Amino acid sequence: LIMADDFYTAEVTGIIDESPSVRRYILSVKDVPVFDFLPGQFVMLDLPIAHEYTTRSYSIASAPNGNEFELCIVLKEDGAGTPFLFKDIKEGSLLRVSPAQGRFVLEEPIATDICFIATGTGVAPFRAMAQHIINKNIPHRNMYLVFGNRTRQDILYRAEFEQLAAEHPEFKFIPVLSREESWPGYNGYVHPVYEELFADRRPAVFYICGWSNMVREAKNRLKEMGYTRKQINFELYD
């Protein structure tokens, strides 16, 4: 259990509108020279909402980098946490942030292909993992990012992932759109895409993060393909 005095103070050093409903928040932790975390972990923000402090969890969207990290947050109009962040938090604001937590992390060494399956802001931990693998020159094979969204304006970090794929051919960026008529790439949902990519049932490790319905369906479909629980890692986002 994390106690109130375990929280750090972090300054918001940057805010970037990534899509009409998603913002990137760059945070710099004041109390430590290095903010320790493993790619895939999350932090809790202690937000002054509902007459008291209320914690909300967000995956870290960047690889370890000194005392700085990034969160990628979607506005939930009817929520309590995100309307406060979108309305009241500006560059220079201070937030209370927990130490990093969670077991949704990369398994190393990486001995097989990996497939990241994401929807929406569920892509955040996979950006952290891919950056980390490449920054640290961690030996790896093919990395697939199958990223489901509704429209092309919803594809978070698109230019960055496209550049990563251009510079590192073993990183395959595969956006899938469910509500875009004139899209030259994959249309529909993520499930047929990873089923096609891994139709040969070759050894692989899957990481799934996003909307809970998608995560549950992906887990079931991968098991039907013959992949075991040890090969399927997931985090729910709702």
Side-chain angles (χ1 to χ4, degrees):
L1 200 64
I2 293 199
M3 309 300 287
D5 52 2
D6 290 337
F7 280 74
Y8 299 113
T9 300
E11 181 183 348
V12 178
T13 55
I15 298 176
I16 300 159
D17 286 323
E18 182 66 14
S19 82
S21 61
V22 175
R23 277 190 192 159
R24 298 163 56 184
Y25 291 83
I26 320 296
L27 283 86
S28 177
V29 180
K30 295 288 211 185
D31 320 322
V32 287
V34 173
F35 182 69
D36 270 326
F37 66 92
L38 298 170
Q41 288 191 304
F42 65 89
V43 293
M44 294 192 305
L45 297 184
D46 202 11
L47 302 173
I49 49 181
H51 312 302
E52 55 189 311
Y53 277 85
T54 306
T55 56
R56 292 287 186 273
S57 302
Y58 300 104
S59 284
I60 298 172
S62 53
N65 177 28
N67 68 343
E68 195 172 87
F69 66 92
E70 179 172 326
L71 302 177
C72 181
I73 298 177
V74 61
L75 175 63
K76 289 189 173 162
E77 303 277 1
D78 57 350
T82 57
F84 169 78
L85 287 169
F86 274 60
K87 189 164 92 337
D88 296 328
I89 295 302
K90 312 275 187 279
E91 288 189 13
S93 295
L94 299 178
L95 287 169
R96 285 158 51 80
V97 58
S98 76
Q101 301 174 70
R103 294 195 297 262
F104 185 64
V105 295
L106 271 174
E107 293 173 19
E108 294 185 47
I110 300 167
T112 65
D113 284 0
I114 23 187
C115 183
F116 301 126
I117 304 167
T119 45
T121 52
V123 80
F126 303 143
R127 177 179 185 248
M129 291 178 185
Q131 279 185 352
H132 176 68
I133 288 168
I134 293 196
N135 291 351
K136 297 288 183 205
N137 289 317
I138 294 167
H140 61 280
R141 300 194 180 187
N142 291 314
M143 284 190 280
Y144 298 85
L145 172 55
V146 182
F147 187 17
N149 287 286
R150 293 189 176 101
T151 67
R152 59 182 84 205
Q153 68 178 8
D154 298 321
I155 306 172
L156 308 174
Y157 303 110
R158 179 180 176 183
E160 183 183 306
F161 287 136
E162 287 175 346
Q163 185 179 348
L164 199 61
E167 293 171 359
H168 298 271
E170 78 284 5
F171 176 75
K172 327 279 186 192
F173 176 49
I174 307 161
V176 187
L177 300 182
S178 60
R179 297 189 193 166
E180 191 75 66
E181 295 297 314
S182 58
W183 174 247
Y186 284 96
N187 285 281
Y189 296 106
V190 293
H191 308 293
V193 179
Y194 60 75
E195 286 175 333
E196 179 187 313
L197 288 170
F198 291 88
D200 59 1
R201 314 296 203 260
R202 67 188 178 278
V205 176
F206 297 85
Y207 297 85
I208 318 165
C209 188
W211 304 319
S212 54
N213 290 345
M214 181 282 286
V215 172
R216 275 193 281 274
E217 184 168 345
K219 271 168 43 188
N220 292 335
R221 289 195 184 209
L222 289 167
K223 284 178 186 164
E224 282 166 18
M225 290 172 74
Y227 290 102
T228 65
R229 268 167 87 169
K230 282 192 74 164
Q231 293 169 295
I232 303 169
N233 306 282
F234 64 92
E235 185 129 284
L236 300 170
Y237 241 60
D238 298 351

